[in-house]
Amino acid sequence: MQPLAQLQLSEELTKLLQSVHHIRKINKGSYLYQEGQDAAELYIIQSGKVQISKMTPDGQELTLRMSSAGEVIGELPMFYSSSKYMLNAKVVEGGEVAVIYKNELEKRLERDNGLAIEFIRWMSHQNRKTITKFRDLILNGKKGALYSTLIRMSNSYGKITTSGIMIDLPITNQELANFCGTSREVVNRMLSELRKNQIISVDKGIITIHDLDYLKTEIHCENCPVDICNIH
């Protein structure tokens, strides 16, 4: 499992989150939680991958991040007596999660102001990542959402090659569409345009970006730090 310290948590908060209550197996295609369900647990992913998403009013699925080993999910509905999960957590690769009971974590944080501040700082960091994604979608539309997603993927999975930045993650056009909150047909058209203009190329689901500056210029990229501009 990836050390929690890599998630910018303090040593004390890391130890607190690692004092988990039990381990649960997760199967591909199942949900850890869905929007509207009572929120009683947080999870630290031990293995596998979990897609965090939100359904838009028109029924489109908007993928906010892909979480893997070492990441904490289910963190949003903290300190609400009748809290509900605000997002969906779908298992896309089976594995295991460590379960933390929300009410027990809240009690510990209430007793320790220092830990509470560290937790708030980490939560603010997570929220900033989500806000920047919504910013790209709102200000630049579907095209901006796609270009932003490609940039984020290059930061998360990019490998420098002689022809450009290869995103070392096979991904379908439907999965890309989910990151953009749009249809596969719309993404197909935008990708075709990028290939035609030699901005990207696609080989067996692997995307190589040949002109990253073009994508950044089109969405007025603010060059956020990599720990913000990624898909995790």
Side-chain angles (χ1 to χ4, degrees):
M1 171 177 159
Q2 177 186 349
L4 283 172
Q6 293 185 21
L7 300 178
Q8 298 186 343
L9 301 180
S10 70
E11 183 178 352
E12 289 185 348
L13 189 53
T14 297
K15 290 180 180 178
L16 173 60
L17 291 179
Q18 286 178 334
S19 60
V20 298
H21 293 92
H22 64 272
I23 302 296
R24 180 181 302 167
K25 289 187 177 180
I26 53 175
N27 298 316
K28 181 178 179 180
S30 64
Y31 284 86
L32 270 173
Y33 53 84
Q34 292 181 274
E35 293 181 58
Q37 290 182 343
D38 291 336
E41 299 171 339
L42 284 78
Y43 307 93
I44 305 173
I45 301 175
Q46 307 289 290
S47 59
K49 287 186 174 63
V50 179
Q51 171 187 292
I52 307 301
S53 65
K54 179 78 175 177
M55 295 302 296
T56 64
D58 60 357
Q60 295 287 348
E61 184 178 28
L62 175 61
T63 299
L64 297 176
R65 69 182 196 261
M66 295 292 290
S67 298
S68 54
E71 297 186 65
V72 182
I73 59 176
E75 73 280 2
L76 288 182
M78 293 287 293
F79 296 103
Y80 288 95
S81 58
S82 59
S83 59
K84 307 285 185 181
Y85 287 116
M86 302 168 64
L87 305 172
N88 301 305
K90 183 179 181 180
V91 180
V92 295
E93 181 183 303
E96 294 183 335
V97 294
V99 180
I100 304 171
Y101 296 134
K102 183 173 73 72
N103 60 345
E104 293 297 325
L105 177 59
E106 289 173 348
K107 290 176 183 177
R108 289 287 302 275
L109 294 176
E110 286 173 351
R111 293 196 299 265
D112 191 323
N113 290 339
L115 276 182
I117 290 172
E118 289 293 336
F119 190 81
I120 291 170
R121 183 178 292 118
W122 175 74
M123 284 279 291
S124 296
H125 180 78
Q126 297 298 96
N127 290 337
R128 183 183 173 195
K129 291 166 67 173
T130 301
I131 288 170
T132 58
K133 183 174 180 65
F134 281 128
R135 175 202 64 195
D136 293 340
L137 179 60
I138 293 170
L139 295 183
N140 299 291
K142 305 303 183 184
K143 180 181 288 187
L146 175 61
Y147 291 8
S148 170
T149 298
L150 292 174
I151 294 169
R152 291 169 188 274
M153 286 184 170
S154 73
N155 288 335
S156 297
Y157 296 100
K159 291 187 176 180
I160 303 297
T161 69
T162 55
S163 60
I165 302 173
M166 181 185 71
I167 299 175
D168 191 21
L169 175 72
I171 189 166
T172 67
N173 287 5
Q174 182 60 61
E175 289 168 333
L176 274 176
N178 290 345
F179 273 103
C180 303
T182 188
S183 68
R184 180 170 54 85
E185 290 74 20
V186 170
V187 166
N188 288 345
R189 290 196 295 272
M190 292 190 291
L191 289 176
S192 295
E193 182 180 349
L194 290 174
R195 288 198 301 268
K196 179 181 178 181
N197 294 327
Q198 299 183 336
I199 306 300
I200 67 168
S201 59
V202 183
D203 182 20
K204 298 179 180 178
I206 298 294
I207 297 174
T208 298
I209 301 174
H210 304 298
D211 192 345
L212 185 63
D213 288 339
Y214 173 86
L215 300 179
K216 289 185 174 183
T217 299
E218 286 293 300
I219 65 169
H220 309 289
C221 178
E222 298 178 2
N223 290 310
C224 298
V226 173
D227 64 335
I228 294 293
C229 185
N230 58 60
I231 64 167
H232 298 302

Coordinates of all heavy atoms in Angstrom, one line a residue, residues 62-64 128-157 167 171 176 179-181 187 190-191 194 199-200 207 209 211-226 228-232:
L62 N -20.2 12.1 -14.3 CA -18.9 12.9 -14.3 C -18.0 12.3 -13.3 O -18.2 12.3 -12.1 CB -19.3 14.4 -13.9 CG -18.0 15.3 -13.7 CD1 -17.3 15.5 -15.1 CD2 -18.5 16.7 -13.2
T63 N -16.9 11.7 -13.9 CA -15.9 11.1 -13.0 C -15.0 12.2 -12.5 O -14.4 13.0 -13.2 CB -15.0 10.1 -13.9 OG1 -15.8 9.1 -14.4 CG2 -13.9 9.5 -13.0
L64 N -14.9 12.3 -11.2 CA -14.1 13.3 -10.5 C -12.6 12.9 -10.3 O -11.7 13.7 -10.4 CB -14.7 13.7 -9.2 CG -16.1 14.3 -9.3 CD1 -16.7 14.6 -7.9 CD2 -16.0 15.6 -10.1
R128 N -9.9 21.6 -3.2 CA -9.3 22.4 -4.3 C -9.1 21.6 -5.6 O -9.3 22.2 -6.7 CB -7.9 22.9 -3.8 CG -7.2 23.9 -4.8 CD -5.9 24.3 -4.3 NE -5.2 25.1 -5.3 CZ -3.9 25.4 -5.3 NH1 -3.1 24.9 -4.3 NH2 -3.3 26.1 -6.3
K129 N -8.7 20.4 -5.5 CA -8.6 19.5 -6.7 C -9.9 19.4 -7.4 O -10.0 19.5 -8.6 CB -8.0 18.1 -6.3 CG -6.6 18.2 -5.8 CD -6.2 16.9 -5.1 CE -6.2 15.7 -6.1 NZ -5.6 14.5 -5.4
T130 N -11.0 19.2 -6.6 CA -12.3 19.1 -7.2 C -12.8 20.4 -7.8 O -13.3 20.4 -9.0 CB -13.3 18.6 -6.2 OG1 -12.9 17.3 -5.6 CG2 -14.7 18.5 -6.8
I131 N -12.5 21.5 -7.2 CA -12.9 22.8 -7.7 C -12.2 23.1 -9.0 O -12.9 23.7 -9.9 CB -12.7 23.9 -6.6 CG1 -13.6 23.7 -5.4 CG2 -12.8 25.3 -7.2 CD1 -13.3 24.6 -4.2
T132 N -11.0 22.8 -9.1 CA -10.2 23.1 -10.3 C -10.8 22.3 -11.5 O -10.9 22.8 -12.6 CB -8.7 22.8 -10.2 OG1 -8.5 21.5 -9.9 CG2 -8.1 23.7 -9.2
K133 N -11.3 21.1 -11.2 CA -11.9 20.3 -12.3 C -13.2 20.9 -12.7 O -13.5 21.1 -13.9 CB -12.1 18.9 -11.8 CG -12.7 18.0 -12.9 CD -12.7 16.5 -12.4 CE -13.3 15.6 -13.5 NZ -12.4 15.6 -14.7
F134 N -14.0 21.3 -11.8 CA -15.3 22.0 -12.1 C -15.0 23.3 -12.8 O -15.8 23.7 -13.8 CB -16.1 22.2 -10.9 CG -16.9 21.0 -10.4 CD1 -16.8 20.6 -9.1 CD2 -17.7 20.3 -11.3 CE1 -17.5 19.5 -8.6 CE2 -18.4 19.2 -10.8 CZ -18.3 18.8 -9.5
R135 N -14.0 24.0 -12.4 CA -13.6 25.3 -13.1 C -13.4 25.1 -14.6 O -13.9 25.8 -15.4 CB -12.4 25.9 -12.4 CG -11.9 27.1 -13.1 CD -10.4 27.4 -12.7 NE -9.6 26.3 -13.2 CZ -8.3 26.0 -12.9 NH1 -7.8 26.8 -11.9 NH2 -7.6 25.0 -13.4
D136 N -12.6 24.0 -14.9 CA -12.3 23.8 -16.3 C -13.5 23.4 -17.1 O -13.7 23.8 -18.2 CB -11.3 22.6 -16.4 CG -9.9 23.0 -15.8 OD1 -9.6 24.2 -15.7 OD2 -9.1 22.1 -15.4
L137 N -14.4 22.7 -16.5 CA -15.6 22.3 -17.2 C -16.6 23.5 -17.4 O -17.1 23.6 -18.5 CB -16.4 21.2 -16.4 CG -17.7 20.7 -16.9 CD1 -17.5 20.1 -18.3 CD2 -18.3 19.6 -16.0
I138 N -16.7 24.3 -16.3 CA -17.7 25.4 -16.4 C -17.2 26.5 -17.4 O -17.9 27.0 -18.2 CB -17.9 26.0 -15.0 CG1 -18.7 24.9 -14.2 CG2 -18.7 27.3 -15.1 CD1 -18.8 25.3 -12.7
L139 N -15.9 26.9 -17.2 CA -15.3 28.0 -18.0 C -15.0 27.6 -19.5 O -15.1 28.5 -20.3 CB -14.1 28.5 -17.3 CG -14.2 29.1 -15.9 CD1 -12.9 29.7 -15.4 CD2 -15.3 30.2 -16.0
N140 N -14.7 26.3 -19.7 CA -14.3 26.0 -21.1 C -15.1 24.9 -21.7 O -14.8 24.5 -22.8 CB -12.8 25.5 -21.0 CG -11.9 26.6 -20.5 OD1 -11.6 27.6 -21.2 ND2 -11.4 26.4 -19.3
G141 N -16.2 24.5 -21.1 CA -17.2 23.6 -21.7 C -16.6 22.2 -21.9 O -15.6 21.8 -21.3
K142 N -17.2 21.4 -22.8 CA -16.8 20.0 -23.0 C -15.4 19.9 -23.5 O -14.6 19.0 -23.1 CB -17.8 19.3 -24.0 CG -19.2 19.4 -23.6 CD -19.5 18.8 -22.2 CE -21.0 18.8 -21.8 NZ -21.2 18.4 -20.5
K143 N -15.0 20.8 -24.4 CA -13.6 20.8 -25.0 C -12.6 21.0 -23.9 O -11.6 20.3 -23.7 CB -13.5 21.8 -26.1 CG -12.1 21.8 -26.7 CD -11.9 22.9 -27.8 CE -12.7 22.5 -29.0 NZ -12.4 23.4 -30.1
G144 N -12.9 22.0 -23.0 CA -12.0 22.3 -21.9 C -11.9 21.1 -20.9 O -10.9 20.8 -20.4
A145 N -13.1 20.4 -20.7 CA -13.0 19.3 -19.8 C -12.2 18.2 -20.4 O -11.4 17.5 -19.7 CB -14.5 18.8 -19.6
L146 N -12.2 17.9 -21.7 CA -11.4 16.9 -22.3 C -9.9 17.3 -22.3 O -9.1 16.5 -21.9 CB -11.8 16.7 -23.8 CG -10.9 15.7 -24.5 CD1 -11.0 14.3 -23.9 CD2 -11.3 15.6 -26.0
Y147 N -9.6 18.5 -22.7 CA -8.2 19.0 -22.7 C -7.7 18.9 -21.3 O -6.5 18.5 -21.0 CB -8.1 20.4 -23.2 CG -8.4 20.5 -24.7 CD1 -8.9 19.4 -25.4 CD2 -8.2 21.7 -25.4 CE1 -9.2 19.5 -26.8 CE2 -8.5 21.8 -26.8 CZ -9.0 20.7 -27.4 OH -9.3 20.8 -28.8
S148 N -8.5 19.4 -20.3 CA -8.0 19.3 -18.9 C -7.7 17.9 -18.4 O -6.8 17.6 -17.8 CB -9.1 20.0 -18.0 OG -8.8 19.8 -16.6
T149 N -8.6 17.0 -18.8 CA -8.5 15.6 -18.4 C -7.2 15.0 -19.1 O -6.4 14.3 -18.4 CB -9.7 14.8 -18.9 OG1 -10.9 15.3 -18.2 CG2 -9.5 13.3 -18.6
L150 N -6.9 15.3 -20.3 CA -5.7 14.8 -20.9 C -4.4 15.4 -20.2 O -3.5 14.6 -20.0 CB -5.7 15.2 -22.4 CG -6.7 14.5 -23.3 CD1 -6.7 15.1 -24.7 CD2 -6.5 13.0 -23.3
I151 N -4.5 16.6 -19.8 CA -3.4 17.2 -19.1 C -3.2 16.6 -17.8 O -2.1 16.2 -17.4 CB -3.6 18.8 -18.9 CG1 -3.6 19.5 -20.3 CG2 -2.5 19.3 -18.0 CD1 -4.0 20.9 -20.2
R152 N -4.3 16.3 -17.1 CA -4.2 15.7 -15.8 C -3.7 14.3 -15.9 O -2.9 13.8 -15.1 CB -5.6 15.7 -15.1 CG -6.1 17.0 -14.7 CD -7.6 17.0 -14.3 NE -8.1 18.4 -14.1 CZ -8.0 19.0 -12.9 NH1 -7.4 18.4 -11.9 NH2 -8.4 20.3 -12.8
M153 N -4.1 13.6 -16.9 CA -3.7 12.2 -17.1 C -2.2 12.2 -17.5 O -1.5 11.2 -17.0 CB -4.5 11.5 -18.2 CG -5.9 11.1 -17.8 SD -6.7 10.2 -19.1 CE -8.2 9.7 -18.2
S154 N -1.7 13.2 -18.2 CA -0.3 13.2 -18.5 C 0.5 13.5 -17.2 O 1.6 12.9 -17.1 CB 0.0 14.3 -19.5 OG -0.1 15.6 -18.9
N155 N 0.0 14.2 -16.3 CA 0.7 14.4 -15.0 C 0.7 13.2 -14.1 O 1.6 12.9 -13.4 CB 0.0 15.6 -14.2 CG 0.3 16.9 -14.8 OD1 1.3 17.1 -15.5 ND2 -0.6 17.9 -14.6
S156 N -0.4 12.4 -14.3 CA -0.5 11.2 -13.4 C 0.1 9.9 -14.0 O 0.7 9.1 -13.3 CB -2.0 10.8 -13.2 OG -2.7 11.9 -12.5
Y157 N 0.0 9.8 -15.3 CA 0.5 8.6 -16.0 C 1.5 8.8 -17.2 O 1.8 7.9 -17.9 CB -0.7 7.7 -16.5 CG -1.5 7.2 -15.4 CD1 -2.7 7.9 -15.1 CD2 -1.2 6.1 -14.6 CE1 -3.6 7.4 -14.0 CE2 -2.0 5.6 -13.6 CZ -3.2 6.3 -13.3 OH -4.0 5.8 -12.3
I167 N 0.5 8.6 -22.4 CA -0.3 8.3 -21.2 C -0.4 6.8 -21.0 O -1.1 6.1 -21.7 CB -1.7 9.0 -21.3 CG1 -1.6 10.5 -21.5 CG2 -2.5 8.7 -20.1 CD1 -2.9 11.2 -21.7
I171 N -7.4 3.6 -21.9 CA -8.7 4.2 -21.5 C -9.6 4.2 -22.7 O -9.1 4.5 -23.9 CB -8.4 5.6 -21.0 CG1 -9.7 6.1 -20.4 CG2 -7.8 6.6 -22.0 CD1 -9.5 7.3 -19.5
L176 N -13.3 8.4 -21.0 CA -12.9 9.8 -21.2 C -14.2 10.6 -21.1 O -14.2 11.7 -20.5 CB -12.2 10.0 -22.5 CG -10.7 9.8 -22.6 CD1 -10.2 9.9 -24.0 CD2 -10.0 10.7 -21.6
F179 N -15.2 11.4 -17.6 CA -14.4 12.4 -17.0 C -14.9 13.8 -17.4 O -14.7 14.8 -16.7 CB -12.9 12.3 -17.3 CG -12.1 11.3 -16.4 CD1 -11.8 10.1 -16.9 CD2 -11.7 11.7 -15.2 CE1 -11.1 9.2 -16.0 CE2 -11.0 10.9 -14.3 CZ -10.7 9.6 -14.8
C180 N -15.5 13.9 -18.6 CA -15.9 15.2 -19.1 C -17.4 15.4 -18.9 O -17.9 16.5 -19.2 CB -15.6 15.2 -20.6 SG -13.9 15.0 -21.0
G181 N -18.1 14.4 -18.3 CA -19.5 14.6 -18.1 C -20.3 14.8 -19.4 O -21.3 15.6 -19.5
V187 N -17.0 13.1 -27.4 CA -15.6 12.9 -27.2 C -14.9 12.3 -28.4 O -13.8 12.7 -28.8 CB -15.3 11.9 -26.0 CG1 -13.9 11.4 -25.9 CG2 -15.6 12.6 -24.7
M190 N -14.2 15.2 -30.7 CA -13.1 16.1 -30.3 C -11.7 15.4 -30.4 O -10.7 16.0 -30.8 CB -13.3 16.5 -28.8 CG -14.5 17.4 -28.7 SD -14.6 18.2 -27.0 CE -15.1 16.7 -26.0
L191 N -11.7 14.1 -30.1 CA -10.4 13.3 -30.3 C -10.0 13.3 -31.8 O -8.8 13.4 -32.1 CB -10.6 11.9 -29.7 CG -10.7 11.8 -28.2 CD1 -10.9 10.4 -27.8 CD2 -9.4 12.3 -27.5
L194 N -8.4 16.5 -32.7 CA -7.0 16.5 -32.1 C -6.1 15.7 -32.9 O -4.9 16.0 -33.2 CB -7.0 16.1 -30.7 CG -7.7 17.1 -29.7 CD1 -7.7 16.5 -28.3 CD2 -6.9 18.5 -29.7
I199 N -2.2 16.9 -32.7 CA -2.0 17.2 -31.3 C -1.8 16.0 -30.5 O -1.0 16.0 -29.5 CB -3.2 18.0 -30.7 CG1 -3.5 19.3 -31.6 CG2 -2.9 18.5 -29.3 CD1 -2.3 20.2 -31.8
I200 N -2.6 14.9 -30.8 CA -2.4 13.6 -30.1 C -2.4 12.5 -31.2 O -2.7 12.8 -32.4 CB -3.6 13.4 -29.1 CG1 -4.9 13.2 -29.9 CG2 -3.7 14.5 -28.1 CD1 -6.0 12.6 -29.0
I207 N -3.0 6.9 -25.5 CA -2.9 8.2 -26.0 C -1.5 8.8 -25.9 O -0.9 8.7 -24.8 CB -3.9 9.2 -25.4 CG1 -5.4 8.7 -25.6 CG2 -3.8 10.6 -25.9 CD1 -6.4 9.4 -24.9
I209 N 0.4 12.5 -26.3 CA 0.2 13.9 -26.6 C 1.5 14.5 -27.2 O 2.6 14.4 -26.6 CB -0.1 14.6 -25.2 CG1 -1.3 14.1 -24.5 CG2 -0.2 16.1 -25.5 CD1 -1.6 14.7 -23.2
D211 N 1.6 17.7 -28.5 CA 1.6 19.2 -28.3 C 0.9 19.5 -27.0 O -0.3 20.0 -27.1 CB 1.1 19.9 -29.5 CG 1.4 21.4 -29.5 OD1 1.8 21.9 -28.4 OD2 1.2 22.1 -30.6
L212 N 1.5 19.4 -25.9 CA 0.9 19.7 -24.6 C 0.6 21.1 -24.5 O -0.4 21.5 -23.9 CB 1.8 19.2 -23.5 CG 1.2 19.3 -22.0 CD1 -0.1 18.4 -21.9 CD2 2.2 18.9 -21.0
D213 N 1.5 22.0 -25.0 CA 1.3 23.4 -24.9 C 0.0 23.9 -25.6 O -0.6 24.8 -25.1 CB 2.5 24.2 -25.5 CG 3.7 24.1 -24.6 OD1 3.6 23.8 -23.4 OD2 4.9 24.2 -25.2
Y214 N -0.4 23.2 -26.7 CA -1.6 23.6 -27.4 C -2.8 23.4 -26.4 O -3.7 24.2 -26.3 CB -1.8 22.7 -28.6 CG -3.1 22.9 -29.3 CD1 -3.3 23.9 -30.2 CD2 -4.2 22.0 -29.0 CE1 -4.6 24.1 -30.8 CE2 -5.4 22.2 -29.6 CZ -5.6 23.2 -30.5 OH -6.8 23.4 -31.1
L215 N -2.8 22.2 -25.8 CA -3.9 21.9 -24.8 C -4.0 22.9 -23.7 O -5.1 23.4 -23.3 CB -3.8 20.5 -24.3 CG -3.8 19.3 -25.3 CD1 -3.6 18.0 -24.5 CD2 -5.1 19.3 -26.1
K216 N -2.8 23.3 -23.2 CA -2.8 24.2 -22.1 C -3.2 25.6 -22.5 O -3.9 26.3 -21.8 CB -1.4 24.3 -21.5 CG -1.0 23.0 -20.7 CD 0.4 23.2 -20.1 CE 0.8 22.0 -19.2 NZ 2.1 22.2 -18.5
T217 N -2.8 26.0 -23.7 CA -3.2 27.3 -24.2 C -4.7 27.5 -24.4 O -5.3 28.5 -24.1 CB -2.4 27.7 -25.5 OG1 -1.0 27.6 -25.2 CG2 -2.8 29.0 -26.0
E218 N -5.3 26.4 -24.9 CA -6.7 26.4 -25.3 C -7.6 26.6 -24.0 O -8.7 27.1 -24.1 CB -7.1 25.1 -26.0 CG -6.6 25.1 -27.5 CD -7.3 26.1 -28.3 OE1 -8.5 26.0 -28.4 OE2 -6.6 27.0 -28.9
I219 N -7.1 26.1 -22.9 CA -7.9 26.2 -21.7 C -7.4 27.2 -20.7 O -7.8 27.3 -19.5 CB -8.1 24.8 -20.9 CG1 -6.7 24.3 -20.4 CG2 -8.7 23.8 -21.8 CD1 -6.8 23.1 -19.5
H220 N -6.4 28.0 -21.2 CA -5.8 29.1 -20.3 C -5.3 28.5 -19.1 O -5.6 28.9 -17.9 CB -6.9 30.2 -20.0 CG -7.6 30.7 -21.2 ND1 -6.9 31.5 -22.2 CD2 -8.8 30.5 -21.7 CE1 -7.8 31.8 -23.1 NE2 -8.9 31.2 -22.9
C221 N -4.5 27.4 -19.2 CA -4.0 26.6 -18.1 C -3.2 27.6 -17.1 O -2.4 28.4 -17.5 CB -3.0 25.5 -18.6 SG -2.3 24.5 -17.3
E222 N -3.5 27.4 -15.8 CA -2.8 28.2 -14.8 C -1.6 27.5 -14.2 O -1.0 27.9 -13.3 CB -3.8 28.5 -13.7 CG -5.0 29.3 -14.1 CD -6.0 29.5 -13.0 OE1 -5.7 29.1 -11.9 OE2 -7.0 30.2 -13.3
N223 N -1.2 26.3 -14.9 CA 0.0 25.6 -14.4 C -0.1 25.3 -12.9 O 0.9 25.5 -12.2 CB 1.3 26.3 -14.8 CG 1.5 26.3 -16.3 OD1 1.4 25.2 -16.9 ND2 1.8 27.4 -16.9
C224 N -1.2 24.7 -12.5 CA -1.3 24.3 -11.1 C -0.3 23.2 -10.7 O 0.2 22.5 -11.6 CB -2.7 23.8 -10.8 SG -4.1 24.9 -11.1
P225 N 0.1 23.1 -9.5 CA 1.0 22.1 -9.1 C 0.5 20.7 -9.4 O -0.7 20.5 -9.5 CB 1.1 22.2 -7.6 CG 0.7 23.6 -7.3 CD -0.3 24.0 -8.3
V226 N 1.4 19.8 -9.7 CA 1.0 18.4 -10.1 C 0.1 17.7 -9.0 O -0.7 16.9 -9.4 CB 2.2 17.6 -10.4 CG1 1.9 16.1 -10.7 CG2 3.0 18.1 -11.6
I228 N -2.2 19.0 -7.5 CA -3.5 19.5 -7.7 C -4.0 19.0 -9.1 O -5.2 18.5 -9.2 CB -3.6 21.0 -7.6 CG1 -3.3 21.5 -6.2 CG2 -5.0 21.5 -8.1 CD1 -4.3 21.1 -5.2
C229 N -3.2 19.1 -10.1 CA -3.6 18.8 -11.5 C -3.3 17.4 -11.8 O -2.3 17.0 -12.5 CB -2.9 19.8 -12.4 SG -3.4 19.6 -14.2
N230 N -4.2 16.5 -11.3 CA -4.0 15.0 -11.6 C -5.4 14.4 -11.6 O -6.4 15.1 -11.3 CB -3.0 14.4 -10.7 CG -3.5 14.5 -9.2 OD1 -4.5 14.1 -8.8 ND2 -2.6 15.1 -8.4
I231 N -5.5 13.1 -11.9 CA -6.8 12.5 -11.8 C -7.0 11.6 -10.6 O -8.0 10.8 -10.6 CB -7.1 11.6 -13.1 CG1 -6.1 10.5 -13.2 CG2 -7.0 12.5 -14.4 CD1 -6.5 9.5 -14.3
H232 N -6.1 11.7 -9.6 CA -6.3 10.9 -8.4 C -7.1 11.7 -7.4 O -7.2 12.9 -7.4 CB -4.9 10.6 -7.8 CG -4.1 9.8 -8.8 ND1 -4.5 8.5 -9.3 CD2 -2.9 10.0 -9.4 CE1 -3.6 8.0 -10.1 NE2 -2.6 8.9 -10.1

